[in-house]
Amino acid sequence: MIIREFQTIDLIRVYEIEKEAFSNPYEKNILQFLYNIGSGFLVAEDEKLILGYIIFSLKEENQGNIVSIAVAKKFRSQNIGSALLQTAITLLKAFNTETIYLEVKSSKQGAINFYKKFGFKKKKVLKSCYEDGSDGISMHLRLKR
């Protein structure tokens, strides 16, 4: 498996994974827009098949944001998400990022535990922040003190 930069040709497969992973997925044009505006956008690929992706950005001078991460169902529990997240963290560190933020649905305990493994801590509950009315959790990882 390799992790590489997203290319526009990957959009259809990334969108398939997005739809499989989320009940309210980003549309293809939003995924393309995130790439076009310069968000970090990486894919995990094995034998020319996209297994997962991560989108991240610099929010401010020293703050990063994990926008989205997903792995195709058939390839979960193979450390693909871990490899993607670790690569994004490493790249954000290279830009002198002090803190990385993300939001996750409060009902997604598996995702919350995944982020905790990397040192992310719960910061606050975001009441009714998703379109379906569910709560979210803001989490952060301090890279520098």
Side-chain angles (χ1 to χ4, degrees):
M1 177 187 76
I2 62 165
I3 294 178
R4 63 167 175 79
E5 282 190 50
F6 169 88
Q7 299 168 6
T8 301
I9 195 166
D10 303 325
L11 184 59
I12 292 170
R13 176 66 179 147
V14 166
Y15 182 58
E16 288 172 358
I17 295 169
E18 174 79 8
K19 288 190 306 185
E20 183 180 79
F22 300 105
S23 57
N24 190 20
Y26 287 126
E27 293 296 329
K28 275 191 281 193
N29 61 331
I30 299 295
L31 294 167
Q32 183 68 53
F33 173 77
L34 289 167
Y35 172 71
N36 290 345
I37 64 168
S39 295
F41 202 146
L42 303 173
V43 296
E45 178 184 68
D46 190 35
E47 298 183 13
K48 302 200 186 251
L49 177 64
I50 305 298
L51 312 175
Y53 70 90
I54 188 167
I55 304 169
F56 57 98
S57 65
L58 288 171
K59 286 173 65 172
E60 296 175 17
E61 184 177 313
N62 58 2
Q63 294 183 357
N65 185 47
I66 303 299
V67 177
S68 187
I69 181 171
V71 174
K73 279 185 183 176
K74 154 177 178 179
F75 298 104
R76 290 183 189 159
S77 299
Q78 296 180 27
N79 292 318
I80 296 164
S82 294
L84 286 163
L85 184 57
Q86 187 57 60
T87 302
I89 290 169
T90 300
L91 289 169
L92 286 166
K93 276 184 186 176
F95 283 96
N96 296 316
T97 302
E98 293 178 11
T99 307
I100 301 173
Y101 293 91
L102 60 85
E103 294 172 6
V104 60
K105 273 190 176 183
S106 60
S107 62
K108 300 285 186 179
Q109 195 58 52
I112 292 166
N113 291 339
F114 170 74
Y115 295 125
K116 282 181 175 180
K117 281 190 336 189
F118 286 86
F120 282 86
K121 297 187 180 342
K122 292 181 183 181
K123 186 166 176 141
K124 64 182 172 183
V125 173
L126 307 166
K127 291 288 184 192
S128 303
C129 74
Y130 288 94
E131 279 188 17
D132 64 3
S134 60
D135 294 344
I137 304 233
S138 172
M139 299 183 79
H140 70 277
L141 172 65
R142 294 216 184 275
L143 300 175
K144 295 181 178 181
R145 298 190 188 258

